[in-house]
Amino acid sequence: MGVTGVSNQIVVKPKVSLSAVKSDIEAALKRRAKSDAQSISVKVQGTDVTLSGTVHSWSERDLASNAAWGAPGVRKVVDNMTVVY
């Protein structure tokens, strides 16, 4: 009683983990029976993730990128991957 308003200024910022992002990408590729993710390099700097290396199709590239975006705390994904047929 008597409360006229509440201001919630709490922010939760999960920490980005290199191993978590890498394992998420590998798991996504394995679920789709694609080639392994060993050729994809993952670099985490703060909340930014940079993906580089080679993939065998555009769908593998999208899969790796989407897996990185799905990792907790990721705010930016830089896609430097190359498609090699």
Side-chain angles (χ1 to χ4, degrees), residues 8-58:
N8 180 357
Q9 297 178 1
I10 298 172
V11 178
V12 178
K13 295 181 181 179
K15 187 175 180 180
V16 179
S17 164
L18 172 64
S19 60
V21 174
K22 181 73 173 173
S23 65
D24 286 351
I25 291 170
E26 289 173 346
L29 290 172
K30 286 178 185 174
R31 280 193 302 273
R32 300 287 175 106
K34 303 290 182 183
S35 62
D36 69 18
Q38 300 303 333
S39 62
I40 299 173
S41 170
V42 180
K43 180 181 175 187
V44 175
Q45 191 169 9
T47 59
D48 298 350
V49 174
T50 301
L51 303 175
S52 56
T54 58
V55 291
H56 300 288
S57 68
W58 287 99

